[in-house]
Amino acid sequence: MEQVFSALNRFRIELPSWGFANTGTRFGKFLQPAAAVTIEDKFSDAGEVHSLTGVCPTIALHVLWDLPGSADASLISRLADRHRVRPGSINPNLFQDQAYKFGSLANPDVDIRQRALKHVTESIGVARILDSRDISLWLADGSNYPGTANIRQRRRWLEEGLRATHAELSPKQRLLIEYKPFEPAFYHTDIADWGMALLLARTAGTQARVLVDTGHHYPSQNIEQIVAWLLGDGMLGGFHFNDRRYADDDLTLGSIDPYQVFRIFNEIQFFEWERGGYADIAYMVDQSHNLKGTIEAMIQTVTIAQELYAKAALVDHPALANAQSRSDLVGAESLLQDAFSTDVRPAIREWRLAQGLPGDPLRAFRESGYLERITAERSRRATASASSSYA
Ligand code: RM4
Ligand code: MN
Ligand code: MN
């Protein structure tokens, strides 16, 4: 109980604004009448999830989707006060503009590289205005056919761009570099894996770290080993959590392989036990809820994340270190399995009640009437804007 409580006391997870919006696949979108459209909607939904779970004090913002033009700092701070969630990581967009057809910071055209750099610089400015620490950079840059891109030259352009980006950071800000093996590029991706992201982060500057999106690996890759290596080098900046079955599926965390997430949390907490201090890691969700109700999916995600984090806190790390040093394989592995099979839900429920939170956030959400209210409000607004656009 005590271990679960202390784990939950420190565990916080950031919600993505885009996880509340209508999203889909490249084949289309199934629209939800309650989906968030405006930045107000997104703050409101994130605030609802935070008020029920108590562990999501920040919302990740996407510059192009949430803050077009420049950030209206006073609007954002009003929304943050009203909904009691602060802006979290700031995500520039280097993949949607027509100009980025052949890349952004690694585009062969110097004007387009400049344009990408300008957008990132502006995004860093936005982050500074909003008092956000982390800039999360994901590039879609890559190529679709062999021989069509100068891979080494593109790396040099990327290095240049990232160094210039890093130079814009204030001393407290961090640049998180995300990698992904493929999609949208299907032959080569400029930042395809954690090793490339790590080298680029080192080149960019001392405030750059690697961002691990759990969906951005080849099937069966050992993600916890990547996490352990990055931790060992002080280069793990944060996570984009989601689950996957095939590729970058953006499914609910732990829905396919909860043991994988547990093993990641175990590596982190083992490291923290060894070091005697907590690692500075931004835990964030990056999911696309195209079939599930967006808010329910988010509550479910947060609940699962807490469960898996709490289970990992139950691993007896001194005993694990001892078993490993004696090469007691079954003993060591059993420590993980015992922790993983422990039902932590009753303890989590107690913790919630002790915080004045609902013991069952999903049920509380279903009983709150919030979904019915926003469904009515947002449907009315959609009808009004459709009819005014016919006029
Ligand atoms: C990518 C990656 C990024 C996200 C984009 C939309 O696959 O996960 O984090 O910003 O999708
Ligand atoms: Mn991501
Ligand atoms: Mn992704």
Side-chain angles (χ1 to χ4, degrees):
M1 193 80 136
E2 207 178 291
Q3 277 158 314
V4 170
F5 271 43
S6 107
L8 296 179
N9 283 342
R10 62 177 185 266
F11 184 72
R12 294 292 175 274
I13 187 159
E14 179 166 307
L15 305 174
S17 69
W18 54 95
F20 296 105
N22 275 317
T23 48
T25 66
R26 60 199 165 113
F27 300 101
K29 283 184 188 178
F30 294 107
L31 304 181
Q32 301 185 20
V37 176
T38 65
I39 179 84
E40 286 86 352
D41 298 344
K42 292 169 186 171
F43 266 89
S44 170
D45 293 355
E48 180 68 9
V49 176
H50 180 46
S51 77
L52 296 167
T53 60
V55 295
C56 311
T58 56
I59 175 172
L61 298 174
H62 208 288
V63 176
L64 189 70
W65 303 334
D66 300 327
L67 310 160
S70 70
D72 182 344
S74 68
L75 169 69
I76 301 291
S77 81
R78 252 183 295 128
L79 292 174
D81 288 344
R82 185 177 323 142
H83 301 290
R84 294 203 291 271
V85 278
R86 293 188 319 280
S89 66
I90 298 299
N91 296 252
N93 186 307
L94 295 173
F95 49 91
Q96 252 180 336
D97 196 304
Q98 290 299 314
Y100 300 141
K101 185 168 180 180
F102 303 120
S104 62
L105 290 177
N107 195 302
D109 183 333
V110 63
D111 292 337
I112 296 170
R113 293 202 300 278
Q114 287 299 331
R115 179 184 181 140
L117 187 59
K118 186 164 168 273
H119 174 69
V120 179
T121 305
E122 284 165 1
S123 303
I124 295 174
V126 165
R128 205 171 301 129
I129 292 173
L130 299 180
D131 204 20
S132 284
R133 178 175 70 149
D134 292 338
I135 316 295
S136 303
L137 214 55
W138 173 69
L139 308 186
D141 291 47
S143 66
N144 276 8
Y145 299 98
T148 60
N150 185 332
I151 294 172
R152 281 173 298 105
Q153 175 61 63
R154 287 174 72 99
R155 176 180 173 190
R156 286 194 290 273
W157 284 324
L158 256 182
E159 290 173 342
E160 244 170 60
L162 292 173
R163 266 197 298 263
T165 299
H166 192 281
E168 298 291 331
L169 299 174
S170 69
K172 278 199 216 135
Q173 288 183 308
R174 303 192 307 172
L175 182 67
L176 305 183
I177 302 176
E178 182 171 355
Y179 57 91
K180 177 168 174 170
F182 68 90
E183 194 201 28
F186 289 118
Y187 166 65
H188 107 281
T189 293
D190 285 294
I191 315 180
D193 66 27
W194 70 279
M196 299 179 199
L198 174 63
L199 288 174
L200 287 170
R202 288 215 167 112
T203 306
T206 54
Q207 292 158 239
R209 299 282 181 278
V210 176
L211 191 159
V212 177
D213 183 312
T214 47
H216 291 188
H217 302 90
Y218 291 114
S220 85
Q221 194 161 359
N222 186 333
I223 304 176
E224 65 268 27
Q225 181 180 10
I226 295 172
V227 168
W229 275 56
L230 290 173
L231 276 170
D233 278 25
M235 291 302 283
L236 179 63
F239 285 93
H240 272 178
F241 280 127
N242 51 66
D243 210 340
R244 51 79 69 76
R245 181 71 180 81
Y246 299 103
D248 185 22
D249 307 340
D250 282 338
L251 301 177
T252 311
L253 180 72
S255 57
I256 304 292
D257 187 358
Y259 195 42
Q260 163 73 87
V261 187
F262 166 86
R263 295 192 308 265
I264 290 174
F265 283 144
N266 173 59
E267 282 305 328
I268 294 170
Q269 299 190 40
F270 190 29
F271 167 85
E272 292 176 331
W273 165 77
E274 228 175 63
R275 209 185 59 161
Y278 297 117
D280 183 6
I281 303 168
Y283 296 115
M284 303 177 272
V285 176
D286 182 9
Q287 291 176 177
S288 160
H289 307 127
N290 47 328
L291 302 179
K292 286 178 175 172
T294 55
I295 303 173
E296 287 201 350
M298 213 63 99
I299 294 171
Q300 191 187 26
T301 303
V302 174
T303 304
I304 298 280
Q306 286 181 300
E307 282 176 26
L308 295 166
Y309 189 81
K311 280 171 190 272
L314 296 181
V315 175
D316 184 340
H317 289 125
L320 183 64
N322 185 275
Q324 288 177 348
S325 70
R326 290 180 294 108
S327 292
D328 174 3
L329 311 188
V330 172
E333 189 189 17
S334 302
L335 288 166
L336 264 63
Q337 290 171 331
D338 288 346
F340 184 66
S341 4
T342 308
D343 187 0
V344 290
R345 288 172 301 181
I348 297 180
R349 193 186 154 78
E350 285 308 310
W351 178 84
R352 290 192 179 119
L353 295 173
Q355 313 292 311
L357 295 164
D360 180 345
L362 185 61
R363 187 161 157 205
F365 174 69
R366 289 188 169 179
E367 289 168 356
S368 68
Y370 180 87
L371 184 63
E372 292 72 14
R373 179 169 64 77
I374 61 162
T375 303
E377 282 172 12
R378 294 175 190 176
S379 309
R380 252 197 317 273
R381 187 181 61 196
T383 315
S385 80
S387 58
S388 74
S389 66
Y390 290 128

